[in-house]
Amino acid sequence: GWGVLKKRLGEFERAELLFRRAISIDPEKEDLVSIKMNFGNLLIEMDRYKEARILIQDAVNLAMQCYGAADQETNRARVLLGRIDMVEGNLQSAKQNFERAYTSIVNYYGQSHPMSLTIAGEYAACLLKLEDYELAKPILLTSYTVSKKRFGLSSDITLTCANNLATFYYLMEDFIEAEPLLRMAVQTCRKRYPNGHPDLAVNIFNLANLFFSTDRKEEAQVCFREAYEMFKRYLGMQHAK
């Protein structure tokens, strides 16, 4: 518990010491699953992917023994492995991990469960990188439709699903379908963050790219400038964005 708290507070070195101490006291298998998964997640944030992979693979194996393949803990660990695969460029391995997690969670909890929707987005993002558009499209469409119906247009998870679907349409150069989704994301964020926010800046930037791609240079310039000023104000000049 303390390790997770220190991680959330950004005290990574202290969190690492606490996680190592927790593992050293030889906890029960069920507790060890959570400890190794949280420790692995910390190492991912620290860009220490090889060490993270070992811990999270152990967590998957232990979770399979304790809970079975369909359990939330098992599939949370699989998703973390998929994220490492994505960073390291192992797209086929990432696809396998995301697919297993997605299928198990949907079968167990249903399509409208928040975890199902979150994994669907990561799975679809992997498929888009693999240019498997036929498989990605129904996942993205279903996720957006289900999320909108259950959580409403203003929810974070629906906003994420909308952006994921807009990314697909943008890659397909179907700008007519992408534009209303991007506009909705910007409008929702403006209501939520009337004084600006990095999330709003990202959505404005995405809309600017669509304007630029559809030869609406003046509209694009206005949006690019607004996004840039917002990023500069909230993240500083040295930030990667």
Side-chain angles (χ1 to χ4, degrees):
W2 282 107
V4 174
L5 176 61
K6 292 297 183 182
K7 173 180 173 291
R8 288 176 180 170
L9 292 172
E11 299 177 23
F12 289 173
E13 291 183 4
R14 180 63 177 159
E16 181 175 353
L17 289 173
L18 290 167
F19 283 131
R20 290 192 185 280
R21 186 179 300 168
I23 290 172
S24 72
I25 63 174
D26 195 25
E28 296 292 328
K29 281 186 179 181
E30 291 82 357
D31 295 328
L32 194 55
V33 171
S34 179
I35 293 166
K36 289 198 169 190
M37 191 155 47
N38 286 318
F39 188 11
N41 201 11
L42 171 70
L43 294 176
I44 289 173
E45 292 196 32
M46 298 170 73
D47 297 333
R48 291 161 59 182
Y49 301 110
K50 289 183 180 180
E51 296 168 85
R53 182 183 292 281
I54 293 169
L55 283 165
I56 295 167
Q57 186 62 65
D58 284 348
V60 170
N61 296 337
L62 285 168
M64 288 281 287
Q65 294 173 27
C66 296
Y67 308 115
D71 187 80
Q72 183 169 328
E73 290 297 290
T74 304
N75 290 292
R76 277 182 60 212
R78 287 198 186 283
V79 168
L80 292 177
L81 282 179
R83 290 174 185 169
I84 295 172
D85 288 329
M86 291 286 283
V87 171
E88 295 181 340
N90 302 319
L91 296 181
Q92 288 296 339
S93 179
K95 178 183 176 182
Q96 290 176 3
N97 280 309
F98 286 136
E99 185 175 27
R100 288 179 185 177
Y102 176 71
T103 302
S104 293
I105 289 295
V106 168
N107 287 341
Y108 194 77
Y109 291 105
Q111 182 67 58
S112 63
H113 191 277
M115 191 173 179
S116 299
L117 295 168
T118 299
I119 296 173
E122 298 200 62
Y123 180 28
C126 178
L127 293 173
L128 292 181
K129 282 187 174 291
L130 288 165
E131 299 183 0
D132 192 343
Y133 303 120
E134 289 187 10
L135 185 54
K137 184 177 181 179
I139 294 171
L140 293 167
L141 278 169
T142 300
S143 295
Y144 175 62
T145 302
V146 168
S147 180
K148 183 171 61 172
K149 182 177 180 180
R150 178 173 178 183
F151 300 104
L153 282 173
S154 62
S155 71
D156 285 339
I157 198 160
T158 301
L159 197 60
T160 298
C161 291
N163 274 312
N164 291 339
L165 183 57
T167 298
F168 167 78
Y169 285 131
Y170 186 88
L171 290 172
M172 296 293 95
E173 298 186 357
D174 189 346
F175 302 123
I176 292 175
E177 293 288 349
E179 184 168 341
L181 292 167
L182 293 175
R183 285 187 180 277
M184 183 272 290
V186 170
Q187 290 168 2
T188 301
C189 277
R190 283 198 193 281
K191 290 178 183 177
R192 187 178 301 171
Y193 308 114
N195 297 317
H197 188 276
D199 289 349
L200 173 57
V202 168
N203 284 291
I204 294 170
F205 181 80
N206 291 339
L207 185 59
N209 278 319
L210 183 140
F211 288 147
F212 188 82
S213 297
T214 52
D215 202 32
R216 286 178 278 175
K217 301 298 191 295
E218 290 184 6
E219 292 172 275
Q221 186 176 28
V222 170
C223 287
F224 278 133
R225 184 178 293 113
E226 183 182 5
Y228 169 74
E229 293 297 333
M230 203 173 295
F231 280 134
K232 186 171 67 174
R233 182 164 72 251
Y234 285 94
L235 303 178
M237 286 294 293
Q238 303 304 313
H239 195 277
K241 285 187 182 295

